[in-house]
Amino acid sequence: MTNLPPPAEELRLLDAELRQLDLRRAVLLRRREWLIHTLRAAAAPPSAQGVGTTPVGGRPGTGVSGAARRPEATAPGVQNVLLVLGGVLLTVAAIAFTLVSWGHMGIAGRALVLGALTVAALGAPVVLLRRGLRSTAEAVAALGTILTVLDAYALHEVAFSGTDGPGYTAAGSAVLAAVWAVYGVVAGAAVPPPAPAATERGPAAGSVRAGLRHPVPLAVATAHLPLLLWALAVGAGPLTVTAVLLATAAGGTAVALRAASVPVRVVAVVGALGMGIVGVLSAGWLCWSASDAGTAARAAALLVVAAVVALVAGRSVRDPEAGTGAALAAGLCLVAGAGGVLRAALPGEWTVPGCVACALALLAADRTPLSRPLRRGLVRASAAVQCCAVLWSVPLVAGTVLGPMTQGARPWSGAPGDVRDAVFTDVPWPPYASTGPLVLAAVAAVVLVAGRNTARGAAARVVALVLGWAAVITVPVVLQLPYPAGLVGQGVVVVAVLGVAEWSGRGENRPSPLTLTALLLALVTSVDLAFLALASQSATICVLVSLTVLFGAACRGRVAAPFAAPAALGHATALACAIGASAGWRPHDTALLVLVVPAVAALVASRTSGSRATVPVEVAGAAAGLLALALAVTDPPMLAVVLSLCGVLTAGTALRPERRAAGYAAAALFLLATWVRLTAWDVTTPEAYTLPVTGPALIVGALRRRRDTAVSSWTAYGAGLAVTLVPSLLAAWDDRHWLRPLLLGVAALAVTLAGARHRLQAPLVVGGGVLALVTLHELAPYLVQVVGALPRWAPPALAGLVLLALGATYEQRLRDARRLREALGRLR
């Protein structure tokens, strides 16, 4: 059996097929015109093709050429230009006649001239269409439509000059739209259908006729104006004008859905969208700015009408995306109307929850027999409203999270009366934010339920967790709970989120997105709680102890340990600072208590070596050590002690095989501790600072050369020797006493002899250079005296003799220099 579609569906299919046939017919007509032009050009006599020309390979004047000349303009293009130009000239003439020459003729003459011109301009296209002159018919018909506008203007000037301009324009536009629509239909009906034989052969010349293209689209475009102009003419209020806009948009939608012609549909869709958007915006503004529920309800009714029109349009269109967009617009209109009524009828705090409730009601459309695009559009509208509601609650959540940080500027200033006073002390309270937790909780529940058993379930659980956390942390602030109750509530949130992280990470080797989110929320909440507790001394210590123990207990989980362990160490560091401040200790004394945290971190890292928690624990311990150094920097003796203790902890870490490199840091810390201690004792002798470096550096270099004989002497001993010899040389250069230059010279001589004995380049060069400079420094006064005793001509004479000697033995000196360089190069 054949499954026949319903009549309405079959009619739409036929309309679509007819539109395709129209498009194909236009393509074939253009091809036919080109073929006719080509055949005519080929059949033209040679004299017409190229008289007086000299073609390639032919005699002058014969017109025979190797390649035919192509016309610079096609016949259809020339025809269109001529028709458009003729229509424009006739239009200008008609306008000039109506505006200038109208007053020089009597009433009968005026009526006769305009009537004759209009009838001729509107009747001629029918005859032209019967003869197949479509382009000419379009040009003449366009002149006729313009003449009808001039007729309307002339009629107003003669018979209705006393009428209101907007009112007459509204009536005239309605009449013109009707006249143009009837004319377009009648002109198309006057053209006889093609003969069957001609249809079988194809579109032969003169066998296919078509109606005019522009009158009906022009009528549809003009039909959007009468109602709006009428409303403006009668002085209608905003509500009436909005209703007129929506009614016009509904009419345009109906025409767009029923029209078979593509130009008519395009014009109707553009007009309906323009009028509809303006009407919906106007209705929304009226609804949300209404001062009473009645006015808001009337504007909301217009939004409901717009939603119905959008749903009908979405149901009728074939494009799924267009249907989804129409349903989305309909859902937003429904929620906007309901929200505007609720805003006028209920207190301001319940406006957003009311809109969320309406958005949740839209989700019921997913269980209705509506088409899939419509259901998808309504669900998207609900999601858009819920997203806007979440954005509305962002100031409340941000203030709750960031507000306690202001307590850091005035710690232990006294416990406030309630949590809101502690959080929103320097942050303004958002307006109508009392229902923020309710909105967040509702959206979280919807997201969790909607994402259940779907491919996006994991993402839905993460979003629901964040929204639920935001709802819970804002409850104490909204309810203005007492300060201790608020602290307890925040602590419960930390425990709950850590529990979620433990539950979601059970049996996993790597943290899932839900686990990571829960751990991050726990860290943020704990930091927020620590700042919130700064208002009271006892609350600060109790909260920090609780957080340290809590995160320390959470370290038992494999997944949570890399996050919980550094958090526990961080809270322990803050606890050490708080205990020191409560005991009245100075900052540099508190630094010793803070060093307990790096010690514990080093111990924990050694027990958990190789796990994912090792590096975070070490980083947290290093951060605590840096804090201890910062606290002790104001007291040099205590800073030296702290540096030494840090060096001990670092050296203990370097005992682990995978942390051997920490030994360099330990050596640097011990050296810094020594220098700080010497500075505290007011020691200014540079050797006291450099010799503790030189000794270990030379020992390390010797051990390295013993293990690897390929290491050069510069790598092994260069830095160690330079650390002591260079600062001592600089000090000896300005020292007027004899002891430092003597000792430095003896040390440089010993280093030089050691380098020569063991054939090492670095000690030989460094020691020899320092010895030469020290000798030059000591002999400088005597050289000055000798130079002063010599005649003034002696130094130039000596310099000349030296230059002569060098010049005479130049090659020998080069060989000596080359041998010296090779000798030094053979040293290591």
Side-chain angles (χ1 to χ4, degrees):
M1 297 178 65
T2 303
N3 185 16
L4 296 177
E9 183 66 20
E10 185 175 3
L11 179 59
R12 282 194 292 270
L13 293 176
L14 291 177
D15 291 340
E17 292 295 334
L18 290 174
R19 286 193 295 272
Q20 294 297 328
L21 290 175
D22 289 340
L23 295 176
R24 181 58 180 167
R25 179 180 178 279
V27 172
L28 293 176
L29 284 176
R30 287 195 295 270
R31 179 64 178 175
R32 176 182 176 277
E33 292 175 355
W34 182 82
L35 291 174
I36 291 174
H37 172 73
T38 304
L39 293 175
R40 288 177 178 174
S47 59
Q49 294 180 7
V51 178
T53 62
T54 306
V56 179
R59 295 187 302 273
T62 60
V64 180
S65 60
R69 291 187 178 180
R70 298 185 60 184
E72 296 182 358
T74 61
V78 175
Q79 177 187 3
N80 292 333
V81 170
L82 294 177
L83 291 175
V84 171
L85 183 59
V88 170
L89 293 177
L90 289 175
T91 302
V92 172
I95 294 174
F97 168 75
T98 304
L99 298 178
V100 179
S101 302
W102 185 260
H104 301 288
M105 301 178 65
I107 296 178
R110 301 170 186 174
L112 181 60
V113 172
L114 273 182
L117 289 176
T118 304
V119 170
L122 295 178
V126 177
V127 179
L128 295 174
L129 287 174
R130 289 178 179 273
R131 297 181 176 273
L133 302 177
R134 181 187 179 87
S135 300
T136 307
E138 288 286 350
V140 177
L143 175 62
T145 54
I146 295 174
L147 288 176
T148 55
V149 177
L150 297 178
D151 290 340
Y153 168 75
L155 186 61
H156 176 268
E157 293 296 325
V158 174
F160 301 99
S161 58
T163 59
D164 185 25
Y168 181 80
T169 305
S173 60
V175 172
L176 288 176
V179 169
W180 292 338
V182 172
Y183 174 67
V185 174
V186 171
V191 181
T199 305
E200 294 176 1
R201 293 192 304 268
S207 63
V208 178
R209 302 290 186 266
L212 298 175
R213 293 181 178 179
H214 80 276
V216 178
L218 186 59
V220 172
T222 308
H224 289 81
L225 301 177
L227 285 178
L228 180 59
L229 294 174
W230 168 81
L232 296 177
V234 299
L239 193 64
T240 305
V241 174
T242 303
V244 166
L245 289 171
L246 294 177
T248 305
T253 303
V255 173
L257 295 176
R258 303 299 298 176
S261 175
V262 175
V264 174
R265 283 206 311 274
V266 171
V267 172
V269 167
V270 173
L273 285 177
M275 292 289 184
I277 291 174
V278 176
V280 167
L281 293 178
S282 177
W285 180 79
L286 292 174
C287 185
W288 281 80
S289 62
S291 58
D292 57 281
T295 305
R298 287 190 290 272
L302 296 178
L303 290 174
V304 173
V305 171
V308 172
V309 173
L311 286 176
V312 172
R315 180 177 178 273
S316 302
V317 297
R318 296 183 181 180
D319 187 5
E321 294 299 328
T324 301
L328 173 63
L332 294 178
C333 288
L334 291 175
V335 175
V341 175
L342 292 175
R343 188 202 66 82
L346 299 177
E349 290 81 2
W350 294 98
T351 301
V352 177
C355 292
V356 173
C358 297
L360 298 182
L362 290 179
L363 296 177
D366 203 26
R367 304 292 182 181
T368 60
L370 293 174
S371 62
R372 182 177 178 81
L374 294 184
R375 287 186 279 117
R376 185 167 58 245
L378 292 175
V379 170
R380 289 181 181 179
S382 176
V385 174
Q386 294 179 58
C387 291
C388 293
V390 171
L391 292 177
W392 167 80
S393 62
V394 166
L396 174 63
V397 179
T400 303
V401 174
L402 302 177
M405 294 183 181
T406 58
Q407 295 291 338
R410 46 179 184 279
W412 298 347
S413 58
D418 55 59
V419 183
R420 185 182 295 183
D421 293 338
V423 174
F424 286 90
T425 303
D426 299 326
V427 179
W429 175 255
Y432 306 118
S434 301
T435 54
L438 178 62
V439 171
L440 292 170
V443 177
V446 170
V447 171
L448 188 61
V449 173
R452 185 178 52 186
N453 300 327
T454 62
R456 300 180 180 178
R461 287 191 292 272
V462 171
V463 174
L465 176 61
V466 174
L467 294 176
W469 167 82
V472 173
I473 64 169
T474 54
V475 168
V477 179
V478 170
L479 298 180
Q480 292 183 312
L481 296 180
Y483 180 69
L487 295 179
V488 174
Q490 294 282 62
V492 171
V493 173
V494 177
V495 175
V497 179
L498 283 177
V500 172
E502 180 67 22
W503 168 78
S504 62
R506 187 176 303 168
E508 296 180 353
N509 293 326
R510 292 185 176 276
S512 63
L514 182 62
T515 304
L516 289 176
T517 304
L519 291 172
L520 179 60
L521 294 178
L523 293 176
V524 172
T525 310
S526 64
V527 174
D528 185 65
L529 177 58
F531 276 105
L532 185 62
L534 282 177
S536 172
Q537 178 177 342
S538 58
T540 300
I541 296 177
C542 292
V543 166
L544 290 176
V545 170
S546 301
L547 291 176
T548 303
V549 174
L550 179 61
F551 280 97
C555 294
R556 293 179 298 176
R558 293 179 55 189
V559 177
F563 302 89
L569 293 175
H571 291 302
T573 304
L575 175 62
C577 295
I579 291 175
S582 63
W585 295 353
R586 292 174 296 178
H588 57 268
D589 297 328
T590 307
L592 294 176
L593 185 59
V594 174
L595 281 179
V596 176
V597 177
V600 174
L603 180 61
V604 173
S606 64
R607 298 291 299 274
T608 62
S609 180
S611 66
R612 289 197 297 268
T614 303
V615 175
V617 167
E618 291 175 344
V619 171
L626 291 176
L627 177 61
L629 293 176
L631 292 173
V633 74
T634 57
D635 188 71
M638 184 60 68
L639 178 60
V641 174
V642 173
L643 285 170
S644 301
L645 294 177
C646 290
V648 171
L649 295 176
T650 308
T653 302
L655 295 177
R656 292 157 49 195
E658 70 276 9
R659 294 290 184 266
R660 296 299 188 193
Y664 297 102
L669 289 172
F670 284 128
L671 179 62
L672 289 175
T674 304
W675 286 356
V676 171
R677 185 71 264 181
L678 292 174
T679 303
W681 288 337
D682 295 332
V683 175
T684 58
T685 303
E687 289 77 10
Y689 296 90
T690 57
L691 286 176
V693 180
T694 297
L698 294 178
I699 293 173
V700 171
L703 294 176
R704 185 174 180 183
R705 277 184 58 83
R706 180 176 298 179
R707 289 196 305 267
D708 186 5
T709 57
V711 176
S712 66
S713 61
W714 287 105
T715 303
Y717 306 117
L721 293 174
V723 166
T724 294
L725 295 179
V726 173
S728 299
L729 178 62
L730 296 177
W733 204 261
D734 292 333
D735 194 355
R736 299 183 179 276
H737 200 267
W738 59 272
L739 182 59
R740 176 178 279 115
L742 176 61
L743 295 177
L744 180 60
V746 172
L749 178 61
V751 169
T752 304
L753 294 177
R757 171 68 179 77
H758 297 284
R759 299 177 61 83
L760 298 177
Q761 188 179 106
L764 185 62
V765 173
V766 174
V770 171
L771 180 61
L773 291 175
V774 170
T775 304
L776 178 62
H777 175 266
E778 293 302 315
L779 295 179
Y782 303 102
L783 294 177
V784 171
Q785 292 178 2
V786 171
V787 171
L790 291 175
R792 297 197 176 199
W793 53 266
L798 290 176
L801 292 175
V802 170
L803 292 176
L804 288 175
L806 290 176
T809 59
Y810 180 72
E811 294 183 1
Q812 183 63 34
R813 300 287 81 75
L814 288 178
R815 285 194 295 269
D816 294 342
R818 191 177 300 110
R819 292 194 191 98
L820 177 62
R821 186 184 63 184
E822 292 174 355
L824 288 176
R826 286 192 295 270
L827 301 178
R828 290 186 296 174

